Amino acid sequence: MDLRKPFYVHLVTALAAAGIAAAPLDRLSKAGGVGLVAGIGSAVAAEVAQRHGSRARALRSQIEGLSRQIEEKEQQLRSYENQLDELRTQLQQREEKLQRLDLAEYQKLLEQLETERQEWRQNAMNLSEQVQKQEQQLQGQQAELDHLRAQLRRRIEDLAQADTNTIVLARSERDFYREEAKSFILEILSRAADQVHKGSRVQHILQDLIQNNHANEGKSYRQRLREDINHLFRDYRKWCDNSYEAELHKLGFEVVSEKNYVVIRFRGDNRYQISLAKTLSDQRAGYEIAQNIRNKIFGLTEPT
């Protein structure tokens, strides 16, 4: 035997001679990582087989044992792979189920939120309607209260002056402020007394009525209202919501803003309505607006 050759060459030659060269190449590769080598002369193979027959048989037995172990390991590996695939399948199924559950819970939460939102909106609408009804009822009750107060004042005045010289005038118009009607009547009587013949009987009667009746509260309120209107529109050139609207509300006017003009109503009564342009060019326009308002809510010529 040529000792200079690698041992695996002699081993392969011996295996080939012993009849195991036909084993699968891949199995031999797994067992020892050695491939079969062809091209060895038959004479050399026979010599090697004779000298190393027993050793080759032992190696063949060892290789067969290793092959069986490899097959067993491969079977175990395939079993593990099958188990791993099964676990992966179960995991995927659980993930899909979890996703479906999450989606269902999310959808349920959305439906619950939508239901609560609709309930909140309906409650808000109901509350708004109730507030509007309460405001309307309050306005009606306030108007009725003002009317009853006016009747009570007239009744007290009637009782205080219940004698043959008392004059009672029935009316249905309610006062917008205290002693409004009485102050107007006394103002008109005062002006009429100056226009009739001096020393006449009618003048004496008018002067007597004026002297025995007073409406100082109504007269002073009307005077303050006149001055406030004059002051507010003295320098009026352009409408300013934050300024004019707030002041007009204080004076008892309702304000409705349109595109190019503003409508104001005294005490919310459409009979006493005045339109104002939002932008003016005439310097005297403010004075004329104040005069129109005074004429509408007073109806008396300005005192000289």
Side-chain angles (χ1 to χ4, degrees), residues 48-132:
V48 173
Q50 291 177 359
R51 294 181 181 181
H52 300 281
S54 58
R55 188 174 183 180
R57 286 191 295 272
L59 289 175
R60 183 178 63 183
S61 177
Q62 185 178 359
I63 291 173
E64 289 177 352
L66 290 175
S67 298
R68 286 194 298 272
Q69 292 179 4
I70 291 174
E71 289 178 355
E72 292 176 356
K73 296 296 183 182
E74 289 177 345
Q75 291 178 357
Q76 292 180 357
L77 179 60
R78 286 193 292 270
S79 177
Y80 292 153
E81 289 177 348
N82 292 334
Q83 293 178 6
L84 180 60
D85 291 339
E86 184 177 357
L87 290 175
R88 287 174 178 172
T89 302
Q90 293 178 359
L91 179 61
Q92 183 177 2
Q93 292 175 352
R94 291 182 179 180
E95 289 178 350
E96 292 176 354
K97 183 177 180 181
L98 181 61
Q99 291 178 356
R100 288 196 298 270
L101 289 176
D102 292 344
L103 181 61
E105 292 177 356
Y106 181 74
Q107 185 66 28
K108 183 178 179 180
L109 179 60
L110 287 180
E111 293 175 357
Q112 181 179 356
L113 292 176
E114 179 63 22
T115 301
E116 292 177 356
R117 185 179 68 85
Q118 293 179 358
E119 291 177 355
W120 180 87
R121 178 181 295 178
Q122 185 63 39
N123 292 336
M125 293 176 61
N126 294 338
L127 182 60
S128 178
E129 293 176 357
Q130 292 178 4
V131 170
Q132 292 179 357

Coordinates of all heavy atoms in Angstrom, one line a residue, residues 48-132:
V48 N -6.0 -3.9 -1.8 CA -6.5 -3.2 -0.5 C -7.6 -4.0 0.2 O -7.6 -4.1 1.4 CB -6.9 -1.8 -0.9 CG1 -7.5 -1.1 0.3 CG2 -5.7 -1.0 -1.4
A49 N -8.5 -4.6 -0.6 CA -9.6 -5.3 0.0 C -9.1 -6.5 0.8 O -9.7 -6.8 1.8 CB -10.6 -5.7 -1.1
Q50 N -8.1 -7.2 0.2 CA -7.6 -8.3 0.9 C -6.9 -7.9 2.3 O -7.0 -8.6 3.2 CB -6.6 -9.1 0.0 CG -7.3 -9.7 -1.2 CD -6.3 -10.4 -2.1 OE1 -5.0 -10.4 -1.8 NE2 -6.8 -11.1 -3.1
R51 N -6.2 -6.9 2.2 CA -5.4 -6.5 3.4 C -6.3 -5.8 4.4 O -6.0 -5.9 5.6 CB -4.2 -5.5 3.0 CG -3.2 -6.2 2.1 CD -2.1 -5.2 1.8 NE -1.1 -5.8 0.9 CZ 0.0 -5.2 0.5 NH1 0.2 -3.9 0.9 NH2 0.9 -5.8 -0.3
H52 N -7.3 -5.2 4.0 CA -8.1 -4.4 4.9 C -9.5 -4.8 5.0 O -10.4 -4.0 5.2 CB -8.0 -2.9 4.6 CG -6.6 -2.3 4.6 ND1 -5.9 -2.0 5.7 CD2 -5.8 -2.1 3.6 CE1 -4.7 -1.5 5.4 NE2 -4.6 -1.6 4.1
G53 N -9.8 -6.1 4.7 CA -11.2 -6.5 4.6 C -11.9 -6.4 5.9 O -13.0 -5.9 6.0
S54 N -11.2 -6.9 7.0 CA -11.9 -6.8 8.3 C -12.1 -5.4 8.7 O -13.1 -5.0 9.3 CB -11.0 -7.5 9.3 OG -9.7 -7.0 9.4
R55 N -11.1 -4.5 8.5 CA -11.2 -3.1 8.8 C -12.3 -2.4 8.1 O -13.1 -1.6 8.6 CB -9.9 -2.4 8.6 CG -9.9 -1.0 9.2 CD -8.5 -0.5 9.0 NE -8.4 0.9 9.6 CZ -7.3 1.6 9.6 NH1 -6.2 1.1 9.1 NH2 -7.3 2.8 10.1
A56 N -12.5 -2.8 6.8 CA -13.5 -2.2 6.0 C -14.9 -2.6 6.4 O -15.8 -1.8 6.4 CB -13.3 -2.6 4.5
R57 N -15.0 -3.9 6.8 CA -16.3 -4.3 7.3 C -16.7 -3.6 8.6 O -17.9 -3.2 8.8 CB -16.3 -5.9 7.6 CG -16.3 -6.7 6.3 CD -16.5 -8.1 6.6 NE -15.4 -8.7 7.3 CZ -14.3 -9.2 6.8 NH1 -14.2 -9.3 5.5 NH2 -13.4 -9.8 7.6
A58 N -15.7 -3.4 9.4 CA -16.0 -2.6 10.7 C -16.4 -1.2 10.3 O -17.4 -0.7 10.9 CB -14.8 -2.6 11.6
L59 N -15.7 -0.6 9.4 CA -16.1 0.8 9.0 C -17.4 0.8 8.4 O -18.2 1.7 8.6 CB -15.0 1.3 8.0 CG -13.6 1.6 8.7 CD1 -12.6 2.0 7.6 CD2 -13.8 2.7 9.7
R60 N -17.7 -0.2 7.5 CA -19.0 -0.3 6.9 C -20.1 -0.4 7.9 O -21.2 0.3 7.8 CB -19.1 -1.5 5.9 CG -20.4 -1.5 5.1 CD -20.4 -2.7 4.2 NE -20.3 -3.9 4.9 CZ -20.2 -5.1 4.3 NH1 -20.2 -5.2 3.0 NH2 -20.1 -6.2 5.0
S61 N -19.9 -1.2 8.9 CA -20.9 -1.4 10.0 C -21.1 0.0 10.8 O -22.2 0.4 11.1 CB -20.4 -2.5 11.0 OG -21.3 -2.6 12.1
Q62 N -19.9 0.6 11.0 CA -20.0 1.9 11.7 C -20.7 2.9 10.8 O -21.6 3.7 11.4 CB -18.6 2.4 12.0 CG -18.6 3.7 12.8 CD -17.1 4.1 13.2 OE1 -16.2 3.4 12.8 NE2 -17.0 5.2 13.9
I63 N -20.5 2.9 9.5 CA -21.1 3.9 8.7 C -22.6 3.6 8.6 O -23.5 4.5 8.6 CB -20.5 3.8 7.2 CG1 -19.1 4.4 7.3 CG2 -21.4 4.6 6.2 CD1 -18.3 4.2 6.0
E64 N -23.0 2.3 8.5 CA -24.4 2.0 8.5 C -25.1 2.4 9.8 O -26.3 2.9 9.8 CB -24.6 0.5 8.3 CG -24.2 0.0 6.9 CD -24.3 -1.5 6.8 OE1 -24.5 -2.2 7.8 OE2 -24.1 -2.0 5.7
G65 N -24.4 2.3 10.9 CA -25.0 2.7 12.2 C -25.2 4.2 12.2 O -26.2 4.7 12.6
L66 N -24.1 4.9 11.7 CA -24.3 6.4 11.6 C -25.4 6.8 10.6 O -26.1 7.7 10.9 CB -23.0 7.0 11.1 CG -21.8 6.9 12.1 CD1 -20.5 7.5 11.5 CD2 -22.1 7.7 13.4
S67 N -25.6 6.0 9.5 CA -26.7 6.3 8.6 C -28.0 6.2 9.3 O -28.9 7.0 9.1 CB -26.5 5.4 7.4 OG -25.3 5.6 6.7
R68 N -28.1 5.0 10.0 CA -29.4 4.9 10.7 C -29.7 6.0 11.7 O -30.8 6.5 11.9 CB -29.4 3.5 11.4 CG -29.5 2.3 10.5 CD -29.8 1.1 11.3 NE -28.7 0.7 12.2 CZ -27.7 0.0 11.9 NH1 -27.6 -0.5 10.6 NH2 -26.8 -0.3 12.8
Q69 N -28.6 6.4 12.4 CA -28.8 7.5 13.4 C -29.2 8.8 12.6 O -30.1 9.6 13.1 CB -27.5 7.8 14.1 CG -27.1 6.6 15.1 CD -25.8 6.9 15.8 OE1 -25.2 8.0 15.7 NE2 -25.4 5.9 16.6
I70 N -28.6 9.0 11.5 CA -28.9 10.2 10.7 C -30.4 10.1 10.2 O -31.1 11.1 10.3 CB -28.0 10.3 9.5 CG1 -26.5 10.7 10.0 CG2 -28.5 11.4 8.5 CD1 -25.5 10.7 8.9
E71 N -30.8 8.9 9.8 CA -32.2 8.8 9.4 C -33.1 9.1 10.5 O -34.2 9.7 10.4 CB -32.4 7.4 8.8 CG -31.7 7.2 7.4 CD -31.9 5.8 6.9 OE1 -32.5 4.9 7.7 OE2 -31.6 5.5 5.8
E72 N -32.8 8.5 11.7 CA -33.6 8.8 12.9 C -33.7 10.3 13.2 O -34.7 10.8 13.5 CB -33.1 8.0 14.1 CG -33.2 6.5 13.9 CD -32.5 5.7 15.1 OE1 -31.9 6.4 15.9 OE2 -32.7 4.5 15.1
K73 N -32.5 10.9 13.1 CA -32.4 12.3 13.4 C -33.3 13.1 12.4 O -34.0 14.1 12.7 CB -31.0 12.9 13.4 CG -30.1 12.3 14.5 CD -30.6 12.7 15.9 CE -29.7 12.2 16.9 NZ -30.2 12.5 18.3
E74 N -33.2 12.7 11.1 CA -34.0 13.3 10.1 C -35.5 13.1 10.3 O -36.3 14.0 10.1 CB -33.6 12.8 8.7 CG -32.2 13.2 8.2 CD -31.9 12.6 6.9 OE1 -32.6 11.6 6.5 OE2 -31.0 13.0 6.2
Q75 N -35.8 11.9 10.8 CA -37.2 11.7 11.1 C -37.7 12.6 12.3 O -38.8 13.1 12.2 CB -37.5 10.2 11.4 CG -37.3 9.3 10.2 CD -37.5 7.8 10.6 OE1 -37.7 7.5 11.8 NE2 -37.4 6.9 9.6
Q76 N -36.8 12.6 13.3 CA -37.1 13.5 14.4 C -37.3 15.0 13.9 O -38.1 15.7 14.3 CB -36.1 13.4 15.5 CG -36.1 12.1 16.2 CD -35.0 12.0 17.3 OE1 -34.2 12.9 17.4 NE2 -34.9 10.9 18.0
L77 N -36.3 15.4 13.0 CA -36.3 16.7 12.5 C -37.6 17.0 11.8 O -38.3 18.1 11.9 CB -35.1 17.0 11.6 CG -35.0 18.4 11.0 CD1 -35.0 19.4 12.1 CD2 -33.8 18.5 10.1
R78 N -38.0 16.0 10.9 CA -39.3 16.2 10.2 C -40.5 16.2 11.1 O -41.4 17.0 10.9 CB -39.5 15.0 9.2 CG -38.5 15.1 7.9 CD -39.0 14.2 6.9 NE -38.8 12.8 7.3 CZ -37.7 12.1 7.1 NH1 -36.6 12.7 6.5 NH2 -37.5 10.8 7.5
S79 N -40.4 15.4 12.2 CA -41.5 15.5 13.2 C -41.5 16.9 13.9 O -42.6 17.4 14.1 CB -41.2 14.4 14.2 OG -42.2 14.4 15.3
Y80 N -40.3 17.4 14.2 CA -40.2 18.7 14.8 C -40.8 19.8 13.9 O -41.5 20.7 14.3 CB -38.8 19.0 15.2 CG -38.3 18.2 16.4 CD1 -36.9 17.9 16.5 CD2 -39.2 17.6 17.3 CE1 -36.5 17.2 17.6 CE2 -38.7 16.8 18.4 CZ -37.4 16.6 18.5 OH -36.9 15.9 19.5
E81 N -40.4 19.6 12.6 CA -40.9 20.6 11.6 C -42.4 20.5 11.5 O -43.1 21.6 11.3 CB -40.2 20.3 10.2 CG -38.7 20.7 10.2 CD -38.1 20.3 8.9 OE1 -38.8 19.6 8.1 OE2 -37.0 20.8 8.6
N82 N -42.9 19.3 11.5 CA -44.4 19.1 11.4 C -45.1 19.8 12.6 O -46.1 20.5 12.5 CB -44.8 17.7 11.3 CG -44.4 17.1 10.0 OD1 -44.2 17.8 9.0 ND2 -44.2 15.8 10.0
Q83 N -44.5 19.5 13.8 CA -45.0 20.1 15.0 C -44.9 21.7 15.0 O -45.8 22.4 15.4 CB -44.3 19.6 16.3 CG -44.5 18.1 16.5 CD -43.7 17.7 17.7 OE1 -43.0 18.5 18.4 NE2 -43.7 16.3 18.0
L84 N -43.8 22.2 14.5 CA -43.6 23.6 14.3 C -44.6 24.2 13.4 O -45.2 25.2 13.6 CB -42.2 23.9 13.9 CG -41.8 25.4 13.7 CD1 -42.0 26.1 15.0 CD2 -40.4 25.6 13.2
D85 N -44.9 23.5 12.2 CA -45.9 24.0 11.3 C -47.2 24.0 11.9 O -48.1 24.9 11.7 CB -45.9 23.1 10.1 CG -44.6 23.2 9.2 OD1 -44.0 24.3 9.4 OD2 -44.3 22.3 8.4
E86 N -47.5 23.0 12.7 CA -48.8 22.9 13.4 C -49.0 24.1 14.4 O -50.0 24.7 14.5 CB -49.0 21.6 14.1 CG -50.3 21.4 14.8 CD -50.5 20.0 15.4 OE1 -49.6 19.2 15.3 OE2 -51.5 19.8 16.0
L87 N -47.9 24.3 15.1 CA -47.9 25.4 16.1 C -48.0 26.8 15.4 O -48.8 27.7 15.8 CB -46.6 25.4 16.9 CG -46.4 24.3 17.9 CD1 -45.1 24.3 18.6 CD2 -47.5 24.3 19.0
R88 N -47.4 26.9 14.2 CA -47.5 28.1 13.5 C -48.9 28.3 13.0 O -49.5 29.4 13.0 CB -46.6 28.1 12.3 CG -45.1 28.3 12.6 CD -44.2 28.1 11.4 NE -42.8 28.3 11.8 CZ -41.8 28.0 10.9 NH1 -42.0 27.5 9.7 NH2 -40.5 28.3 11.3
T89 N -49.5 27.2 12.5 CA -50.9 27.3 12.1 C -51.8 27.7 13.2 O -52.7 28.5 13.1 CB -51.4 25.9 11.5 OG1 -50.5 25.5 10.4 CG2 -52.8 26.0 11.0
Q90 N -51.6 27.0 14.4 CA -52.5 27.4 15.6 C -52.3 28.9 15.9 O -53.2 29.6 16.3 CB -52.1 26.5 16.7 CG -52.5 25.0 16.5 CD -52.0 24.2 17.7 OE1 -51.4 24.7 18.7 NE2 -52.3 22.9 17.6
L91 N -51.0 29.3 15.9 CA -50.7 30.7 16.2 C -51.4 31.7 15.3 O -52.0 32.7 15.7 CB -49.2 30.9 16.2 CG -48.7 32.4 16.5 CD1 -49.2 32.8 17.9 CD2 -47.2 32.5 16.5
Q92 N -51.3 31.3 14.0 CA -52.0 32.2 13.0 C -53.5 32.2 13.2 O -54.1 33.3 13.1 CB -51.6 31.7 11.6 CG -52.2 32.5 10.4 CD -51.8 32.0 9.1 OE1 -51.1 31.0 9.0 NE2 -52.2 32.7 8.0
Q93 N -54.0 31.0 13.5 CA -55.5 31.0 13.7 C -55.9 31.8 15.0 O -56.9 32.5 14.9 CB -55.9 29.5 13.9 CG -55.8 28.7 12.7 CD -56.2 27.2 12.9 OE1 -56.3 26.8 14.1 NE2 -56.3 26.4 11.9
R94 N -55.0 31.7 16.0 CA -55.3 32.5 17.2 C -55.2 34.0 16.9 O -56.0 34.9 17.4 CB -54.4 32.1 18.3 CG -54.6 30.7 18.9 CD -53.7 30.4 20.0 NE -54.0 29.1 20.5 CZ -53.3 28.5 21.5 NH1 -52.3 29.1 22.1 NH2 -53.7 27.3 21.9
E95 N -54.2 34.4 16.1 CA -54.0 35.8 15.8 C -55.2 36.3 15.0 O -55.7 37.4 15.2 CB -52.7 36.0 15.0 CG -51.4 35.9 15.8 CD -50.2 36.0 15.0 OE1 -50.3 36.0 13.7 OE2 -49.1 36.1 15.6
E96 N -55.6 35.5 14.0 CA -56.8 35.9 13.2 C -58.0 36.0 14.1 O -58.8 37.0 13.9 CB -57.0 34.9 12.1 CG -55.9 34.9 11.0 CD -56.2 33.8 10.0 OE1 -57.1 33.0 10.2 OE2 -55.4 33.7 9.0
K97 N -58.2 35.1 15.0 CA -59.3 35.2 15.9 C -59.3 36.4 16.8 O -60.3 37.1 17.0 CB -59.4 33.9 16.8 CG -60.6 33.8 17.7 CD -60.6 32.5 18.5 CE -61.8 32.4 19.4 NZ -61.8 31.2 20.2
L98 N -58.0 36.7 17.3 CA -57.8 37.9 18.1 C -58.1 39.1 17.3 O -58.8 40.1 17.8 CB -56.4 37.9 18.6 CG -56.0 39.1 19.6 CD1 -56.9 39.0 20.8 CD2 -54.6 39.0 19.9
Q99 N -57.7 39.2 16.1 CA -58.0 40.3 15.2 C -59.5 40.5 15.0 O -60.0 41.6 15.1 CB -57.3 40.2 13.9 CG -55.8 40.4 14.0 CD -55.1 40.2 12.6 OE1 -55.8 39.9 11.7 NE2 -53.8 40.3 12.6
R100 N -60.2 39.4 14.8 CA -61.6 39.5 14.6 C -62.3 40.0 15.9 O -63.2 40.8 15.9 CB -62.2 38.1 14.2 CG -61.8 37.7 12.8 CD -62.7 36.5 12.3 NE -62.5 35.4 13.2 CZ -61.6 34.4 12.9 NH1 -60.8 34.5 11.8 NH2 -61.5 33.4 13.7
L101 N -61.8 39.5 17.0 CA -62.4 39.9 18.3 C -62.1 41.4 18.5 O -63.0 42.1 19.0 CB -61.8 39.1 19.5 CG -62.2 37.6 19.6 CD1 -61.5 36.9 20.7 CD2 -63.7 37.5 19.8
D102 N -60.9 41.9 18.3 CA -60.6 43.3 18.4 C -61.4 44.1 17.5 O -61.9 45.2 17.9 CB -59.1 43.5 18.1 CG -58.2 42.9 19.2 OD1 -58.7 42.5 20.2 OD2 -57.0 42.7 18.9
L103 N -61.6 43.7 16.3 CA -62.4 44.5 15.3 C -63.9 44.5 15.8 O -64.5 45.5 15.7 CB -62.3 43.8 13.9 CG -63.2 44.5 12.8 CD1 -62.7 45.9 12.6 CD2 -63.0 43.7 11.5
A104 N -64.4 43.4 16.3 CA -65.7 43.4 16.8 C -65.9 44.3 18.0 O -66.9 45.0 18.1 CB -66.1 41.9 17.2
E105 N -64.9 44.2 18.9 CA -65.0 45.1 20.1 C -64.9 46.6 19.7 O -65.6 47.4 20.2 CB -63.9 44.8 21.1 CG -64.1 43.4 21.7 CD -62.9 43.0 22.6 OE1 -61.9 43.8 22.7 OE2 -63.0 42.0 23.3
Y106 N -64.0 46.9 18.7 CA -63.9 48.2 18.2 C -65.2 48.7 17.6 O -65.7 49.8 17.8 CB -62.8 48.3 17.2 CG -62.5 49.7 16.7 CD1 -61.9 50.7 17.4 CD2 -62.9 50.0 15.4 CE1 -61.7 51.9 16.9 CE2 -62.6 51.2 14.8 CZ -62.0 52.2 15.6 OH -61.8 53.4 15.1
Q107 N -65.8 47.9 16.8 CA -67.1 48.2 16.2 C -68.2 48.4 17.2 O -69.0 49.4 17.1 CB -67.5 47.1 15.2 CG -68.8 47.4 14.4 CD -68.5 48.6 13.4 OE1 -67.4 48.8 13.0 NE2 -69.6 49.3 13.1
K108 N -68.2 47.6 18.2 CA -69.1 47.7 19.3 C -68.9 49.0 20.0 O -69.9 49.7 20.4 CB -69.0 46.5 20.3 CG -70.0 46.5 21.4 CD -69.9 45.3 22.3 CE -70.9 45.3 23.4 NZ -70.7 44.1 24.3
L109 N -67.7 49.4 20.3 CA -67.4 50.7 20.9 C -67.8 51.8 20.1 O -68.4 52.8 20.6 CB -65.9 50.8 21.2 CG -65.4 52.0 21.9 CD1 -66.1 52.2 23.3 CD2 -63.9 52.0 22.1
L110 N -67.6 51.8 18.8 CA -68.0 52.9 17.9 C -69.6 53.0 17.9 O -70.1 54.1 18.0 CB -67.6 52.6 16.5 CG -66.1 52.8 16.2 CD1 -65.8 52.5 14.7 CD2 -65.7 54.2 16.5
E111 N -70.3 51.9 17.9 CA -71.7 51.9 17.9 C -72.2 52.5 19.3 O -73.2 53.3 19.3 CB -72.3 50.5 17.7 CG -72.1 49.9 16.3 CD -72.5 48.5 16.2 OE1 -73.0 47.9 17.2 OE2 -72.4 48.0 15.1
Q112 N -71.6 52.2 20.3 CA -71.9 52.7 21.6 C -71.7 54.2 21.7 O -72.6 55.0 22.2 CB -71.1 52.0 22.7 CG -71.5 52.5 24.1 CD -70.7 51.8 25.2 OE1 -69.9 50.9 24.9 NE2 -70.8 52.1 26.4
L113 N -70.5 54.7 21.2 CA -70.3 56.1 21.1 C -71.3 56.8 20.3 O -71.7 57.9 20.6 CB -68.8 56.3 20.6 CG -67.7 55.9 21.6 CD1 -66.4 56.1 20.9 CD2 -67.8 56.6 22.9
E114 N -71.6 56.3 19.1 CA -72.6 56.9 18.2 C -74.0 57.0 18.9 O -74.6 58.0 18.8 CB -72.7 56.1 16.9 CG -73.7 56.6 15.9 CD -73.4 58.0 15.4 OE1 -72.2 58.4 15.5 OE2 -74.3 58.7 15.0
T115 N -74.3 56.0 19.6 CA -75.6 56.0 20.4 C -75.6 57.1 21.4 O -76.6 57.8 21.6 CB -75.9 54.6 21.0 OG1 -75.9 53.6 20.0 CG2 -77.2 54.6 21.8
E116 N -74.5 57.2 22.2 CA -74.4 58.2 23.2 C -74.4 59.6 22.6 O -75.0 60.5 23.1 CB -73.1 58.0 24.0 CG -73.1 56.7 24.8 CD -71.8 56.5 25.6 OE1 -70.9 57.3 25.3 OE2 -71.7 55.5 26.4
R117 N -73.7 59.7 21.4 CA -73.7 61.1 20.8 C -75.1 61.5 20.3 O -75.5 62.6 20.5 CB -72.8 61.0 19.6 CG -72.6 62.4 18.9 CD -71.6 62.2 17.7 NE -72.2 61.5 16.6 CZ -73.0 62.0 15.7 NH1 -73.3 63.3 15.7 NH2 -73.5 61.2 14.7
Q118 N -75.9 60.5 19.8 CA -77.2 60.8 19.4 C -78.1 61.2 20.6 O -78.9 62.1 20.5 CB -77.8 59.7 18.6 CG -77.2 59.4 17.2 CD -77.7 58.2 16.5 OE1 -78.6 57.5 17.0 NE2 -77.3 58.0 15.3
E119 N -77.9 60.4 21.7 CA -78.7 60.7 22.9 C -78.3 62.1 23.4 O -79.2 62.9 23.8 CB -78.4 59.7 23.9 CG -79.0 58.3 23.6 CD -78.6 57.2 24.6 OE1 -77.8 57.6 25.5 OE2 -79.1 56.1 24.5
W120 N -77.0 62.4 23.4 CA -76.6 63.8 23.9 C -77.2 64.9 23.0 O -77.6 65.9 23.5 CB -75.1 63.8 23.9 CG -74.5 65.2 24.3 CD1 -74.3 65.5 25.6 CD2 -74.2 66.3 23.5 NE1 -73.8 66.8 25.6 CE2 -73.8 67.3 24.4 CE3 -74.3 66.5 22.1 CZ2 -73.4 68.6 23.9 CZ3 -73.9 67.8 21.7 CH2 -73.5 68.8 22.5
R121 N -77.1 64.7 21.7 CA -77.7 65.7 20.8 C -79.2 65.8 21.0 O -79.7 67.0 21.0 CB -77.4 65.3 19.3 CG -78.0 66.2 18.3 CD -77.7 65.8 16.9 NE -76.3 65.8 16.6 CZ -75.8 65.4 15.4 NH1 -76.6 64.9 14.5 NH2 -74.5 65.5 15.2
Q122 N -79.9 64.7 21.2 CA -81.3 64.8 21.4 C -81.6 65.5 22.8 O -82.5 66.4 22.9 CB -81.9 63.4 21.4 CG -83.5 63.4 21.6 CD -84.1 64.1 20.4 OE1 -83.7 63.9 19.3 NE2 -85.2 64.8 20.7
N123 N -80.8 65.2 23.8 CA -81.0 65.9 25.1 C -80.7 67.4 25.0 O -81.4 68.2 25.6 CB -80.1 65.2 26.1 CG -80.5 63.8 26.5 OD1 -81.6 63.4 26.3 ND2 -79.5 63.0 26.9
A124 N -79.7 67.7 24.2 CA -79.4 69.1 24.0 C -80.5 69.9 23.3 O -80.9 71.0 23.6 CB -78.1 69.3 23.2
M125 N -81.1 69.2 22.3 CA -82.2 69.8 21.6 C -83.4 70.0 22.5 O -84.1 71.0 22.5 CB -82.6 69.0 20.3 CG -81.5 69.0 19.2 SD -81.9 67.8 17.9 CE -83.4 68.6 17.3
N126 N -83.7 68.9 23.3 CA -84.8 69.0 24.2 C -84.6 70.1 25.2 O -85.5 70.9 25.5 CB -85.0 67.7 24.9 CG -85.4 66.6 24.0 OD1 -85.9 66.8 22.9 ND2 -85.2 65.3 24.3
L127 N -83.4 70.2 25.7 CA -83.0 71.3 26.7 C -83.2 72.7 26.1 O -83.7 73.6 26.7 CB -81.6 71.1 27.2 CG -81.2 72.1 28.3 CD1 -82.1 72.0 29.5 CD2 -79.7 71.8 28.7
S128 N -82.7 72.8 24.8 CA -82.8 74.1 24.1 C -84.3 74.5 24.0 O -84.7 75.7 24.2 CB -82.1 74.0 22.8 OG -82.3 75.3 22.1
E129 N -85.1 73.5 23.6 CA -86.5 73.8 23.4 C -87.2 74.2 24.8 O -88.0 75.1 24.8 CB -87.2 72.6 22.8 CG -86.9 72.3 21.4 CD -87.5 71.0 20.9 OE1 -88.2 70.3 21.7 OE2 -87.3 70.6 19.7
Q130 N -86.8 73.5 25.8 CA -87.3 73.9 27.1 C -86.9 75.3 27.5 O -87.7 76.0 28.1 CB -86.8 72.8 28.2 CG -87.4 71.4 28.0 CD -86.8 70.5 29.0 OE1 -86.1 70.8 29.9 NE2 -87.2 69.2 28.9
V131 N -85.6 75.6 27.2 CA -85.1 77.0 27.6 C -85.9 78.0 26.8 O -86.3 79.0 27.4 CB -83.6 77.1 27.3 CG1 -83.2 78.5 27.4 CG2 -82.8 76.2 28.2
Q132 N -86.2 77.8 25.5 CA -86.9 78.7 24.7 C -88.4 78.9 25.2 O -88.9 80.0 25.3 CB -87.0 78.3 23.2 CG -85.6 78.4 22.5 CD -85.7 77.9 21.1 OE1 -86.7 77.4 20.6 NE2 -84.6 78.0 20.4

